Amino acid sequence: MNVVVCVKQIPDPAVPGELTPDHRLKRDGAKAILDESDSYGVEMALQLVDKAGSGEVILVSMAPNGEVSGLRQALAMGAARAVLVSDDALAGADALTTSKVLAKAVERAGGADLVLAATESSDGYTGTVPAQIAELLGWPSLTFAKQVDIADGKVTIQRQTEAGYDVVEASLPAVVSVTAGVVEPRYPSFKGIMAAKSKPVDQVTAADLGVATGSTGQEITSVTQAPERQAGEKIEDDGTGFERVVAFLEDLKVI
């Protein structure tokens, strides 16, 4: 079984971010790491391949400046190889363009039985990319999986809902988005870190994939500071404080 995992390399959130003059997040020179939400997909893929007894985990990613730091993290976990799309023409690409690029990267990776992705990235939050990739590939889309099982040419998931979960099944190949916490991502070993340095990363451009890069970006017209959080109401409890709490919850229609 071959599992492709869509991973995003994001600026380290522990480092204060900067904006470019056109109001986009500055990525040049910024330390990039593997998006934590994608580490669950990588771990799930590794477990599925181990259970199948054969196959490999392949990464696909889109990042500027040939960035591979985040990819190396996933390769150190145990992924076999990666396809990286890096092209200045894709700067500021919207979700649909990103999906088109990743779908073509999945095809370039070859032989995928399953594609895994996070439900959304930590720096984008559109939540649309996995379903768009599935539509572009013509494969079934299964979303918000908290458990994934493969058997008899089918994928079965537990789709997380507010009321519990739904059991959803589809034939392979398919695209599945997994929720955070679906598995516990492993820590790369020293051996894995060293091995990751020599694992192949196929770096390509949009043109190599046959993706048009005409009008692909989003225009951000302005950015403003979020308003500061206002101080809450303080209540001195004179023995009737509970009544104020109950009234407050009733106003919120919590009770």
Side-chain angles (χ1 to χ4, degrees), residues 44 144-148 157-160 164-165 178-179 181-182:
M44 175 59 73
F144 295 98
K146 73 184 191 74
Q147 181 175 313
V148 181
I157 72 164
Q158 292 182 3
R159 185 180 189 275
Q160 188 170 325
Y165 66 87
V178 299
T179 60
V182 61

Side-chain angles (χ1 to χ4, degrees), residues 43-155:
E43 178 62 34
M44 175 59 73
L46 292 169
Q47 292 185 17
L48 289 172
V49 170
D50 285 345
K51 186 176 180 180
S54 63
E56 60 182 3
V57 175
I58 310 155
L59 312 172
V60 296
S61 185
M62 188 176 90
N65 310 314
E67 180 60 60
V68 295
S69 300
L71 284 178
R72 294 298 179 195
Q73 288 178 250
L75 290 169
M77 290 174 66
R81 55 188 174 93
V83 177
L84 171 64
V85 186
S86 189
D87 193 327
D88 291 341
L90 294 171
D94 58 21
L96 180 56
T97 299
T98 300
S99 300
K100 290 177 179 178
V101 168
L102 292 177
K104 287 295 186 182
V106 170
E107 292 177 347
R108 185 178 180 91
D113 299 298
L114 181 69
V115 173
L116 296 181
T119 57
E120 55 191 359
S121 65
S122 299
D123 63 344
Y125 288 108
T126 68
T128 61
V129 170
Q132 289 179 149
I133 292 173
E135 177 67 18
L136 291 163
L137 291 172
W139 296 356
S141 172
L142 293 79
T143 58
F144 295 98
K146 73 184 191 74
Q147 181 175 313
V148 181
D149 294 299
I150 305 294
D152 302 323
K154 295 180 179 180
V155 55

